[in-house]
Amino acid sequence: QVQLVESGGGSVQAGGSLRLSCAASGYMHSSYVLGWFRQAPGKEREGVAAIDTDGSTTYADSAKGRFTISKDNAKNTLYLQMNSLKPDDTSMYYCAAAKKPPWTAVHVLYVIDSNALDAWGQGTLVTVSS
């Protein structure tokens, strides 16, 4: 059973940077697509970025050019480097895993029913002040 634990959230001023981490256990990096999601108060959860088993990546428009998703297979850790942060980026950030096949990075990023993914972390809070 895959277990995910996020860390790295915190408070930062607009324009600043944070790097989120997601440690995975019970997981084979060659078998799972990984993604970052976020949910702001009163809003639906949305995909931020996803990375496929071959390392290919896909991003939501809100993340393109500012965020970078990566993974260290040796450490079983997923990362999200966030630069040029804006107050609108304030959210709880979650990592998720989905078994491949049938999932791909694009399908994970735009998943409609988040319960369909195989595992979720507990989230880490990011607060960006103006």
Side-chain angles (χ1 to χ4, degrees):
Q1 183 177 358
V2 177
Q3 293 186 322
L4 305 171
V5 179
E6 302 97 334
S7 62
S11 297
V12 63
Q13 290 192 325
S17 298
L18 281 174
R19 188 176 80 156
L20 306 183
S21 299
C22 173
S25 59
Y27 153 82
M28 293 180 64
H29 64 80
S30 60
S31 299
Y32 284 86
V33 177
L34 302 174
W36 284 102
F37 295 78
R38 66 186 184 184
Q39 187 168 20
K43 295 187 177 181
E44 293 188 355
R45 189 174 297 186
E46 62 177 359
V48 176
I51 186 166
D52 215 313
T53 53
D54 64 358
S56 58
T57 58
T58 187
Y59 295 90
D61 287 344
S62 59
K64 288 178 181 176
R66 300 189 300 128
F67 295 1
T68 302
I69 187 171
S70 63
K71 60 178 180 172
D72 185 329
N73 291 332
K75 297 181 177 180
N76 282 342
T77 302
L78 175 72
Y79 301 101
L80 184 67
Q81 177 67 44
M82 305 187 294
N83 298 328
S84 303
L85 283 162
K86 307 174 183 179
D88 283 348
D89 295 318
T90 295
S91 286
M92 187 71 80
Y93 283 73
Y94 301 88
C95 60
K99 194 163 176 49
K100 182 183 180 78
W103 292 92
T104 67
V106 172
H107 292 140
V108 166
L109 184 66
Y110 295 109
V111 64
I112 296 175
D113 178 8
S114 59
N115 291 326
L117 302 185
D118 294 291
W120 287 89
Q122 83 291 345
T124 187
L125 181 63
V126 173
T127 303
V128 184
S129 59
S130 57

